[in-house]
């Protein structure tokens, strides 16, 4: 673990550092609260052992600052104090300390506190990892590995706000695999799943890093294209349709004999500052127009 020890008493600081390093941990030291806070922000230690009474930021203020700053990873805080009354202990715990040790510091006691700290910080790190995994899973389509509609709604809102602020444009493209129901009927759902994965990979292969591809539902996909005009978005989607055609997936239920894609595009701009729902509705209408015009084509919203 990385341990930060803050104490304005040189002797106590030396004892604490020796105890921390003897326990096999990396030790950072600070001689006052302000220096401790700066080191905390720079190194984000696993454990902070801090004296209560220090120049600058005292131990209670340091505890509160750490708790207000923490987001994902947890810092275990041990308060060193010569004030052992119940009220003082409660004040320290209410400020955010996890434990306290009375001075003069006993190296054995500090070692024991660090053993507890390791268990707690490891548990918090594991929980943070599982939260990240669950968050990704909640925003990922399990079949294709693309983002799902939950992630889409979050990303579209952020993009809309940024585009409004900086007077930028962006486009969305609604895509649909042509005659996909008949594909499933002819070849089965397992083949249909493989086809959707192939289409998803083809779409990912034509976009920029700043673009996003989402599974909108069933055989529908949505592309979000920041800083793209309608014409540039159409050129990209033409390449996307070519990429799907290049897959050469046989489809006896389509007049072309192969799996094809249709797309509809709508665009946000200063002149057309619609919300996300309206933009998606326009893209869906343009997709319907592409289907009505014979499929295997890209149409712009009117």
């Amino acid at each position: 673990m990385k341990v930060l020890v803050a104490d304005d008493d040189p002797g106590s600081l030396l004892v604490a550092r020796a105890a921390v390093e003897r326990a096999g941990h990396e030790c950072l030291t600070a001689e006052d609260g302000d220096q401790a806070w700066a080191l905390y922000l720079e190194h984000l230690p696993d454990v902070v052992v801090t004296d209560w009474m220090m120049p600058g930021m005292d131990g209670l203020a340091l505890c509160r600052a750490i708790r207000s700053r923490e987001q994902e990873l947890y810092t275990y805080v041990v308060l060193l104090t010569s004030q052992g009354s119940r009220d003082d202990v409660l004040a320290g715990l209410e400020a955010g300390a996890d434990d306290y040790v009375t001075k003069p510091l006993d190296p054995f006691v500090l070692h024991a506190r660090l053993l507890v700290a390791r268990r707690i910080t490891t548990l918090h790190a594991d929980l943070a990892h599982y939260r990240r995994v669950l968050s990704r899973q909640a925003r990922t389509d399990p079949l294709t590995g693309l983002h799902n509609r939950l992630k889409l709604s979050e990303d579209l809102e952020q993009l809309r706000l940024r585009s409004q602020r900086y007077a930028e444009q962006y486009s969305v493209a609604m895509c649909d695999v042509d005659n996909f129901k008949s594909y499933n009927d002819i070849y089965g759902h397992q083949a249909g799943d493989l086809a959707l994965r192939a289409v998803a990979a083809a779409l990912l292969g034509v976009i920029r890093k700043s673009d996003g591809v989402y599974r909108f539902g069933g055989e529908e996909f949505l592309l979000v294209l920041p800083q793209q005009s309608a014409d540039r978005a159409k050129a990209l989607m033409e390449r996307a349709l070519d990429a799907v055609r290049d897959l050469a997936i046989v489809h006896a239920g389509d007049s072309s004999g192969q799996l094809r894609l249709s797309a509809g595009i709508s665009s946000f701009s200063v002149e057309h500052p619609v919300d996300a729902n309206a933009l998606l509705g326009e893209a869906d209408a343009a997709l319907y127009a592409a289907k009505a015009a014979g499929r295997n084509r890209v149409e712009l919203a009117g």
Side-chain angles (χ1 to χ4, degrees):
M1 292 188 301
K2 186 180 292 185
V3 180
L4 169 62
V5 179
D7 198 325
D8 63 327
D9 179 354
S12 180
L13 188 63
L14 186 63
V15 171
R17 178 168 193 158
V20 169
E21 292 179 342
R22 192 178 302 117
H25 307 299
E26 178 184 352
C27 187
L28 306 167
T29 58
E31 297 176 357
D32 60 55
D34 294 338
Q35 184 185 13
W37 178 237
L39 286 172
Y40 172 82
L41 294 175
E42 180 181 357
H43 296 278
L44 297 179
D46 304 292
V47 181
V48 172
V49 180
T50 178
D51 192 15
W52 182 314
M53 303 300 296
M54 295 185 295
M57 184 181 290
D58 66 17
L60 294 188
L62 182 59
C63 287
R64 295 188 185 100
I66 289 172
R67 293 297 174 239
S68 65
R69 170 66 171 74
E70 279 180 342
Q71 295 180 357
E72 186 173 58
L73 296 180
Y74 188 78
T75 302
Y76 193 90
V77 180
V78 179
L79 194 62
L80 300 176
T81 178
S82 56
Q83 307 177 55
S85 74
R86 291 183 176 182
D87 288 343
D88 292 332
V89 170
L90 287 176
L93 296 178
E94 288 173 352
D98 296 284
D99 207 341
Y100 73 99
V101 175
T102 57
K103 300 175 78 172
L105 179 64
D106 183 336
F108 173 81
V109 173
L110 180 57
H111 189 183
R113 297 298 194 271
L114 292 177
L115 290 175
V116 175
R118 179 189 286 278
R119 295 194 188 107
I120 298 300
T121 55
T122 299
L123 176 61
H124 277 276
D126 290 343
L127 290 173
H129 168 72
Y130 292 129
R131 282 197 298 269
R132 288 193 299 270
V133 171
L134 291 173
S135 179
R136 284 196 300 270
Q137 290 178 345
R139 290 161 175 78
T140 302
D141 172 56
L143 176 64
T144 62
L146 299 177
H147 300 313
N148 62 14
R149 291 184 69 163
L150 173 60
K151 185 70 164 61
L152 171 66
S153 63
E154 295 170 347
D155 292 350
L156 274 181
E157 178 61 18
Q158 292 179 6
L159 181 58
R160 183 185 66 81
L161 293 174
R162 188 171 73 242
S163 298
Q164 282 183 331
R165 180 176 182 181
Y166 297 107
E168 296 174 346
Q169 56 187 345
Y170 69 92
S171 296
V172 298
M174 187 80 74
C175 310
D176 184 84
V177 179
D178 294 334
N179 297 308
F180 190 70
K181 182 180 183 303
S182 65
Y183 186 89
N184 273 335
D185 292 341
I186 296 169
Y187 302 103
H189 288 280
Q190 186 174 6
D193 289 348
L194 292 174
L196 290 176
R197 291 192 188 104
V199 170
L203 294 174
L204 288 172
V206 300
I207 63 169
R208 306 166 302 168
K209 288 184 178 180
S210 58
D211 300 332
V213 184
Y214 307 77
R215 188 177 181 199
F216 197 70
E219 66 272 23
E220 284 188 313
F221 300 89
L222 189 86
L223 278 70
V224 176
L225 311 170
Q227 298 180 329
Q228 289 275 45
S229 66
D231 289 339
R232 291 176 62 190
K234 185 175 183 181
L236 184 146
M237 290 313 302
E238 294 286 3
R239 295 195 298 274
L241 266 62
D242 288 341
V244 172
R245 285 191 286 266
D246 289 343
L247 294 173
I249 299 174
V250 176
H251 184 3
D254 190 273
S255 59
S256 68
Q258 289 187 332
L259 201 71
R260 295 289 192 249
L261 196 69
S262 296
I265 294 172
S266 60
S267 299
F268 173 98
S269 66
V270 175
E271 297 78 19
H272 190 59
V274 295
D275 62 26
N277 287 332
L279 202 65
L280 294 177
E282 292 174 357
D284 191 54
L287 172 60
Y288 181 82
K291 295 283 190 181
R295 298 186 173 88
N296 187 30
R297 59 190 295 127
V298 181
E299 292 287 343
L300 299 177

